[in-house]
Amino acid sequence: MTVRTRFAPSPTGYLHVGGARTALFNWLFARKHGGVFVLRVEDTDEVRNTDEARQAIFDGMNWLGLDWDEGPEKSGDFGPYYQSKRREIYDAWFQKLVDTERVYEDGGAWRFRFDRKPVTMNDLVCGEVTIDYRDESNTPDMVVKRSDGSYVFHFVNVVDDLEMEITHVIRGEDHLMNTPKHLQLIEAFGGVAPKYAHIPLILNPDGSKMSKRDEGAAVGDYPRQGFLSSAVVNFIALLGWNSKTEREIYSLPDLAAIFTLDHVNRSPARFDLEKCKWVNQQHLLSMSVADFALAARPFVEAENLPIPENFEAVMAAVKDKVRLLDEVPAAIDFLLKDDFAIDNEAVTKVRGNAAAGSLLVSLAESFEMMDEWSVDLAKESLNDVAKAAGAKPGQLMFPLRVALSGRAHGPDLGDILNLLGQDRCVARVRHFAQSLG
């Protein structure tokens, strides 16, 4: 049997991180088992559906690398893959219920007649769940067709899963109580039910349910903030699943090779944006300098910073200093232009060293007199100046860093000396020393 999973978003808004995780788990399960991943668009809500929302979902999935085998923009034997285009299919399946007297009219709407018996499902994550349909007051017959002729979610969802031969339905735990209803419909149709796996909800750090308005909810925000798609996929996978090892950093192919529903947690997952940034940093660290520079360049250009010929060397200096690509411009601006922001707190700390000004004046003179410029020679000059003044080299290194970069932290001091070169180092040290009075 070929494994067939599906992701069935409704195009009423952007791709939510919870929806992205559902898509990811279905994609991983299909890839792990050499199966088929189907994208199906549940667009029957004409009032709320928008072309922009549909495109945002497609763009989000493509950015994450979750390619679908069947669905919109792809071929497939079970289309159309838009519910809005499947009305004739739904009518035919509804007629089956009419013919077997499993539906009856009620005020213009049509209700499905439940079998009054307990229904047990064996969920691949939640275990055995039973709903007792013998008490009609708790489980009234379900509307499957509205008075306006449109079909409800439960009906079209089941029909589509049967028509498209879906073998495994992996979806959010909020659908758990819908499944016994779906099993009754499938039984009435004489169909074979897929296996179900309901994955835990995603909660905010404070324990509240994550909504579309919460920080980190919109997948479309991540690329603009400088996250790598590989890192976001990695982080989302860890929301409710783990490999039962200490390892946390994975590529998408890594995840596809080891993903199993057995390792999906039963308890809700807590969203942690700081953890996502940490994961992103680990993925940045694993990149080559060339790839890092290529990924960061659009963010640098967006800030109208000049791109020097030694751009990759500049990128190499800050590659291990940033967590997000949108942090790169602020990390390198002092290397690309001479008009850069000064950290007043760092300057105040330098002023606390009474000898800093005179030491920097001497250092500027020493730098200027050098016939050859290299990091080793520049550091040797720094040591000589400090020694001549009866100071330790460490007393001069921090003032020099602030003089060259305007900040207390950043790239290695040797990288700064090398990238700025002799003339710019002399000019900055001299100017900063004068500003100290």
Side-chain angles (χ1 to χ4, degrees):
M1 178 187 70
T2 300
V3 166
R4 292 177 59 85
T5 66
R6 49 77 165 176
F7 176 51
S10 178
T12 57
Y14 58 76
L15 181 60
H16 184 272
V17 70
R21 186 192 59 170
T22 297
L24 173 62
F25 282 14
N26 278 281
W27 187 94
L28 291 174
F29 191 83
R31 294 293 175 262
K32 171 69 179 294
H33 295 281
V36 175
F37 174 59
V38 178
L39 177 61
R40 187 173 78 213
V41 180
E42 298 190 342
D43 61 342
T44 54
D45 189 342
E46 295 181 6
V47 175
R48 298 175 61 216
N49 292 336
T50 68
D51 292 340
E52 293 78 12
R54 183 179 68 250
Q55 192 60 48
I57 291 170
F58 294 171
D59 290 346
M61 291 185 65
N62 282 321
W63 183 71
L64 292 169
L66 305 181
D67 55 315
W68 52 97
D69 303 301
E70 295 178 19
E73 304 174 357
K74 299 285 179 73
S75 60
D77 297 331
F78 300 94
Y81 293 94
Y82 290 94
Q83 285 186 342
S84 59
K85 299 178 180 180
R86 297 174 62 81
R87 179 60 190 246
E88 292 183 3
I89 295 172
Y90 301 143
D91 287 343
W93 283 77
F94 178 75
Q95 189 60 45
K96 293 181 182 181
L97 298 180
V98 173
D99 294 343
T100 55
E101 298 184 348
R102 290 302 302 271
V103 290
Y104 60 93
E105 195 171 2
D106 179 18
W110 289 82
R111 290 184 178 273
F112 173 70
R113 200 187 312 273
F114 283 129
D115 272 343
R116 294 300 162 183
K117 63 182 182 180
V119 174
T120 298
M121 57 174 289
N122 292 296
D123 190 86
L124 297 177
V125 173
C126 301
E128 186 176 289
V129 177
T130 299
I131 299 296
D132 194 344
Y133 283 87
R134 289 176 296 188
D135 185 350
E136 192 170 348
S137 64
N138 290 333
T139 55
D141 288 341
M142 171 177 63
V143 172
V144 290
K145 189 176 185 181
R146 302 182 186 92
S147 57
D148 64 2
S150 64
Y151 294 101
V152 303
F153 159 78
H154 302 292
F155 179 83
V156 296
N157 189 271
V158 164
V159 169
D160 287 345
D161 284 345
L162 290 174
E163 275 270 331
M164 297 180 183
E165 299 180 4
I166 301 302
T167 63
H168 293 78
V169 173
I170 304 170
R171 59 189 179 187
E173 194 178 46
D174 49 336
H175 284 291
L176 181 63
M177 291 300 101
N178 291 332
T179 302
K181 301 175 185 178
H182 297 176
L183 290 174
Q184 285 241 29
L185 270 172
I186 291 169
E187 185 178 57
F189 285 132
V192 177
K195 295 179 180 179
Y196 291 91
H198 290 86
I199 57 182
L201 299 177
I202 299 176
L203 304 180
N204 289 311
D206 63 3
S208 61
K209 183 179 178 181
M210 193 176 196
S211 73
K212 290 187 175 182
R213 294 175 297 277
D214 291 321
E215 184 179 38
V219 171
D221 289 343
Y222 286 88
R224 291 191 291 270
Q225 294 170 357
F227 284 90
L228 298 173
S229 60
S230 61
V232 175
V233 163
N234 188 164
F235 172 71
I236 291 175
L238 299 178
L239 293 174
W241 173 90
N242 67 75
S243 62
K244 305 301 182 185
T245 69
E246 297 297 318
R247 182 181 175 186
E248 292 189 287
I249 304 304
Y250 300 93
S251 67
L252 191 55
D254 289 340
L255 290 168
I258 65 174
F259 182 80
T260 170
L261 291 172
D262 294 341
H263 291 174
V264 174
N265 300 330
R266 183 69 181 86
S267 56
R270 294 288 181 114
F271 184 87
D272 184 348
L273 191 58
E274 289 302 306
K275 176 66 174 292
C276 189
K277 291 178 180 178
W278 175 82
V279 172
N280 197 73
Q281 185 176 36
Q282 305 313 302
H283 281 256
L284 289 177
L285 290 171
S286 69
M287 297 175 77
S288 68
V289 172
D291 287 343
F292 175 69
L294 186 65
R297 183 166 181 145
F299 293 88
V300 177
E301 292 176 334
E303 296 298 323
N304 295 315
L305 290 171
I307 305 296
E309 291 184 6
N310 65 338
F311 185 63
E312 283 194 13
V314 173
M315 291 294 98
V318 298
K319 184 170 175 286
D320 63 347
K321 306 295 182 182
V322 298
R323 295 191 297 173
L324 304 174
L325 292 173
D326 73 349
E327 296 173 0
V328 171
I332 65 170
D333 62 346
F334 75 94
L335 293 169
L336 304 185
K337 62 180 184 177
D338 293 321
D339 177 22
F340 52 89
I342 303 295
D343 181 354
N344 291 328
E345 188 174 328
V347 175
T348 299
K349 186 175 179 180
V350 172
R351 289 184 183 279
N353 177 358
S358 61
L359 284 170
L360 288 172
V361 169
S362 298
L363 184 60
E365 293 175 353
S366 179
F367 279 177
E368 190 172 32
M369 293 173 62
M370 293 172 59
D371 295 328
E372 182 183 347
W373 182 258
S374 73
V375 172
D376 289 339
L377 291 174
K379 287 184 176 180
E380 185 178 312
S381 179
L382 182 149
N383 291 334
D384 291 343
V385 168
K387 185 177 180 181
K392 295 180 179 179
Q395 292 178 265
L396 187 51
M397 291 180 72
F398 182 76
L400 175 60
R401 172 179 289 279
V402 178
L404 297 177
S405 69
R407 62 202 67 177
H409 306 287
D412 180 83
L413 185 57
D415 288 334
I416 296 174
L417 292 165
N418 179 51
L419 291 166
L420 289 178
Q422 184 174 11
D423 292 343
R424 295 174 81 190
C425 286
V426 170
R428 290 189 185 189
V429 173
R430 182 166 287 148
H431 176 76
F432 185 67
Q434 291 172 350
S435 73
L436 294 176

